[in-house]
Amino acid sequence: MKIEFFRHNIGQDDIDRVNEVLRSIFLTTGQVVGEFEEGFAEYLGARHAIGVTSCTAALHLSLIALNIGPGDEVITTPMSFCATANAVLHAGARPVFVDVEEETGNLNADLIEAAITDRTKAILPVHLYGQMCDMKKIRALADRYRLKIIEDAAHSIESSRDGVKVGELADAACFSFYATKNITSGEGGAISTNSEPVAETLRMLRQHGINKGAADRYTKRYEHWDMPLLGWKYNMDNIQAALLIGQLRRIEDLMQQRDQNWSCYEDALQGIADVRLLKTLPGVRHARHLLTALVPPEKRDALLWGMQNRQVGVAVNYRPIHLLKYYRETYGYCEGAYPVAEDIGLRTISLPFYPSLDEATIRNVSQIFKEELH
Ligand SMILES: *Cc1c(COP(=O)(O)O)cnc(C)c1O
């Protein structure tokens, strides 16, 4: 039987909650979204949360709300999903990559300063696989150069580092509820911020730049609305929010199950020749989003095909962004530009990882991994 790469955790309660929305008259952004946003902000310890249609949309709107656009540079990591850098391009700005740490794959905070120019407006760190970047160091640097911080927290709703929660030191933090993320509505995203004006701008920007939401127009009497800004159509709807509310309540339980599965994998994979796991640094609460192993580059692709032939779902997170065709051709990037990210990109393989995996399956996957590697 196939061992899936990912299985979501939608249960009957979640389905019931969606049904309730479907039987109501109001499907789009309304009370259920408001309820989710409130719970999400509370979980994060943030003042505001704004529900949108994806993390890509969240990143795009955050950049716009923080006045980042044409002529500006945003420092980010090449070791991420292409959405991170694409959002910078959507905003009309230019992503400037900085290489990552060998031990964690996270943006190397010690290399950021050398990449700052007169045009740099923001830093966009990604908390890779669920491990937070060194936000204290990055915040200090951002303060010194008057830069904004937007966190790509698509992997790391649950993480903290040295007492700092995800999003706490940022101007905005962006989350994904895409199909394979820790909690999911198929597609979906959110932004957290502690700034009232930024939150207010984001609420308008997610709905064309209109100063009244659909719920206002529906629950209250019709009144004329205006459009002070040019926005996008990125608003989360009640159906998505209904799917998320129950998962948010279970988020710590789900996290605990993944943490157990992580330990199980560590145990099963340790001591295999030529295999290295990334490190969880002291002081980090790792959100345990993706379980990756690093193998010799010359063996990686054969391992990918071999495991898939044996009905085990695997993936690569990630081949570095700067080497994707569009980035190479448009910006002239080539191999050697960010050697640490490139090395991880050639070695990394992601194994099946989600709360409902059991120990026997993890041992089985690890055994197949071992056999196909050698
Ligand atoms: C999934 C992901 C995104 C994009 O999320 P969407 O909700 O699909 O737009 C962005 N950044 C990272 C690091 C991701 O893993």
Side-chain angles (χ1 to χ4, degrees):
M1 208 175 79
K2 184 162 195 236
I3 302 170
E4 300 292 347
F5 178 68
F6 183 80
R7 276 183 187 279
H8 65 66
N9 215 272
I10 307 289
Q12 191 57 47
D13 279 4
D14 306 304
I15 294 167
D16 291 346
R17 220 170 266 112
V18 170
N19 274 334
E20 210 177 299
V21 169
L22 293 178
R23 276 193 285 265
S24 78
I25 192 170
F26 196 85
L27 303 181
T28 183
T29 315
Q31 204 185 321
V32 189
V33 173
E35 189 187 327
F36 171 69
E37 289 173 335
E38 208 173 289
F40 195 62
E42 191 186 321
Y43 178 77
L44 297 170
R47 284 218 188 98
H48 309 276
I50 295 96
V52 290
T53 45
S54 69
C55 184
T56 310
L59 290 163
H60 181 197
L61 292 192
S62 297
L63 289 157
I64 301 289
L66 294 167
N67 294 312
I68 293 151
D72 297 337
E73 292 177 356
V74 177
I75 292 175
T76 190
T77 170
M79 182 41 63
S80 183
F81 182 53
C82 58
T84 310
N86 287 357
V88 177
L89 296 177
H90 294 157
R94 171 84 194 264
V96 171
F97 297 113
V98 162
D99 210 352
V100 298
E101 302 167 342
E102 204 180 308
E103 281 192 329
T104 65
N106 267 335
L107 185 61
N108 188 336
D110 293 331
L111 301 179
I112 294 174
E113 194 162 14
I116 296 173
T117 72
D118 293 343
R119 292 179 297 278
T120 310
K121 285 287 166 59
I123 306 173
L124 202 179
V126 178
H127 307 310
L128 194 69
Y129 310 142
Q131 171 152 247
M132 244 174 101
C133 297
D134 190 343
M135 290 314 300
K136 284 186 182 174
K137 207 182 247 180
I138 293 172
R139 184 74 257 178
L141 207 56
D143 287 344
R144 191 151 8 114
Y145 289 91
R146 306 172 128 268
L147 307 176
K148 304 290 189 191
I149 297 177
I150 297 157
E151 292 177 27
D152 180 335
H155 297 179
S156 60
I157 303 169
E158 307 89 341
S159 46
S160 64
R161 179 166 176 167
D162 304 325
V164 175
K165 278 191 164 183
V166 83
E168 190 176 329
L169 299 182
D171 295 277
C174 300
F175 300 87
S176 175
F177 310 124
Y178 173 69
T180 58
K181 298 306 203 285
N182 288 356
I183 63 174
T184 178
S185 47
E187 302 287 347
I191 308 152
S192 73
T193 178
N194 289 319
S195 159
E196 174 79 45
V198 169
E200 202 172 307
T201 304
L202 287 168
R203 283 185 201 286
M204 286 199 273
L205 285 176
R206 74 171 167 183
Q207 195 135 284
H208 295 295
I210 290 173
N211 59 5
K212 272 192 177 38
D216 291 331
R217 302 200 298 274
Y218 166 70
T219 54
K220 298 171 191 156
R221 284 155 47 91
Y222 174 85
E223 282 179 38
H224 295 309
W225 45 264
D226 207 349
M227 193 195 96
L229 300 166
L230 177 61
W232 283 263
K233 190 61 172 54
Y234 286 163
N235 52 305
M236 175 184 278
D237 66 40
N238 275 358
I239 303 167
Q240 292 169 313
L243 261 174
L244 292 165
I245 283 173
Q247 293 178 77
L248 182 61
R249 289 185 193 148
R250 303 195 295 278
I251 196 165
E252 285 296 310
D253 291 338
L254 296 171
M255 163 89 210
Q256 216 168 22
Q257 292 171 49
R258 288 197 312 276
D259 205 42
Q260 259 174 28
N261 290 343
W262 189 282
S263 302
C264 192
Y265 262 121
E266 271 185 338
D267 189 49
L269 296 173
Q270 79 174 359
I272 305 177
D274 295 339
V275 175
R276 181 164 77 85
L277 301 180
L278 292 177
K279 229 176 151 170
T280 303
L281 299 178
V284 169
R285 184 180 200 238
H286 196 302
R288 308 301 192 204
H289 175 55
L290 283 166
L291 189 294
T292 65
L294 303 178
V295 301
E298 69 279 7
K299 293 184 175 174
R300 199 272 308 271
D301 284 1
L303 180 62
L304 287 170
W305 319 144
M307 290 189 79
Q308 288 177 106
N309 287 341
R310 294 182 63 181
Q311 305 299 307
V312 179
V314 290
V316 171
N317 307 92
Y318 300 92
R319 289 151 67 233
I321 299 171
H322 69 283
L323 295 182
L324 299 175
K325 186 175 162 98
Y326 178 84
Y327 282 86
R328 282 183 193 254
E329 288 184 353
T330 313
Y331 301 105
Y333 288 116
C334 46
E335 265 139 59
Y338 306 101
V340 183
E342 289 169 27
D343 187 58
I344 294 174
L346 291 171
R347 291 174 181 274
T348 190
I349 174 168
S350 305
L351 301 179
F353 191 68
Y354 38 95
S356 59
L357 272 180
D358 56 33
E359 189 173 335
T361 309
I362 293 172
R363 302 251 164 229
N364 189 15
V365 170
S366 303
Q367 182 58 34
I368 294 171
F369 173 89
K370 216 182 294 186
E371 289 167 13
E372 293 301 318
L373 181 64
H374 296 125

